[in-house]
Amino acid sequence: MTILDDAIGLEERTRAYYADAAERVTDPSGKKILTLLMNEEKRHAEILAKMKGGSRGELVDSSLLREVRGLVEGAVKEGKDAISSDGSLREILQKAMEIEQATRRFYKEKAASVDDDKVKDLFSKLARQEASHYLLVSGLAEYFDRPVEWVESAEFGLRPEY
């Protein structure tokens, strides 16, 4: 088994977690957020599989944050005080935070130890994306604790683009 196999397995387990969580959540907004995260992990696994097959695994910027921000903005504009009414989503997001941190650590450590520059570059980029996933998920988890402050945050709040 290679380091790429390990990375693909890690992404597949994370994808499966989000898929299972999306099935358990009853609220449509919660399902949408988890499905977006699931698709992001699936995309990572596909890029890693391409690299394993000899192709260059190109990681393009993700639209995940923009899409989740759109969901939040829609909920705020509709006057909702929550983007999800399903309390189990909070627990799911707590576990997701742990998974995203572990995945980021994996890529960061492996990028530092691998000799192949292409793999090193991809793993460094994946580590950054997993860090952004962690920030997103932790921000959503924080939302359940302090919704007013969360909506006002610079990352998710309703602010005009510069």
Side-chain angles (χ1 to χ4, degrees), residues 4 47-58 118 122:
L4 289 172
I47 291 165
L48 289 160
K50 283 181 185 177
M51 181 168 270
K52 182 181 174 195
S55 299
R56 180 146 174 94
E58 284 296 321
K118 290 177 186 176
L122 179 59

Side-chain angles (χ1 to χ4, degrees), residues 7 10-11 14 41 44 98-108 126-127 130:
L10 184 61
E11 293 293 345
T14 304
E41 303 303 343
H44 290 176
E98 295 170 17
I99 292 169
E100 295 296 347
Q101 278 289 65
T103 305
R104 182 198 61 79
R105 261 191 319 274
F106 170 85
Y107 285 123
K108 193 173 178 181
L126 284 166
E130 297 299 348

Side-chain angles (χ1 to χ4, degrees), residues 19-147:
D20 178 63
E23 288 294 317
R24 290 182 294 158
V25 170
T26 59
D27 183 77
S29 295
K31 281 185 183 298
K32 177 69 174 169
I33 290 167
L34 293 167
T35 300
L36 289 169
L37 286 161
M38 176 194 74
N39 290 337
E40 188 78 359
E41 303 303 343
K42 178 181 176 188
R43 186 174 68 91
H44 290 176
E46 289 169 351
I47 291 165
L48 289 160
K50 283 181 185 177
M51 181 168 270
K52 182 181 174 195
S55 299
R56 180 146 174 94
E58 284 296 321
L59 186 64
V60 295
D61 287 338
S62 170
S63 63
L64 178 66
L65 183 59
R66 186 175 57 252
E67 291 182 58
V68 172
R69 186 183 317 158
L71 286 171
V72 173
E73 288 174 352
V76 171
K77 286 177 182 174
E78 292 174 13
K80 295 179 182 175
D81 61 353
I83 58 169
S84 177
S85 59
D86 190 328
S88 68
L89 183 58
R90 175 68 164 86
E91 182 180 313
I92 289 167
L93 292 172
Q94 281 296 124
K95 176 70 174 165
M97 287 167 55
E98 295 170 17
I99 292 169
E100 295 296 347
Q101 278 289 65
T103 305
R104 182 198 61 79
R105 261 191 319 274
F106 170 85
Y107 285 123
K108 193 173 178 181
E109 289 170 5
K110 298 304 180 188
S113 67
V114 71
D115 292 330
D116 185 323
D117 286 338
K118 290 177 186 176
V119 174
K120 182 185 293 280
D121 181 55
L122 179 59
F123 279 16
S124 294
K125 289 176 181 177
L126 284 166
R128 286 190 298 274
Q129 279 204 354
E130 297 299 348
S132 73
H133 293 177
Y134 171 81
L135 291 173
L136 171 65
V137 172
S138 66
L140 291 169
E142 182 180 325
Y143 171 78
F144 284 89
D145 294 333
R146 298 189 321 254

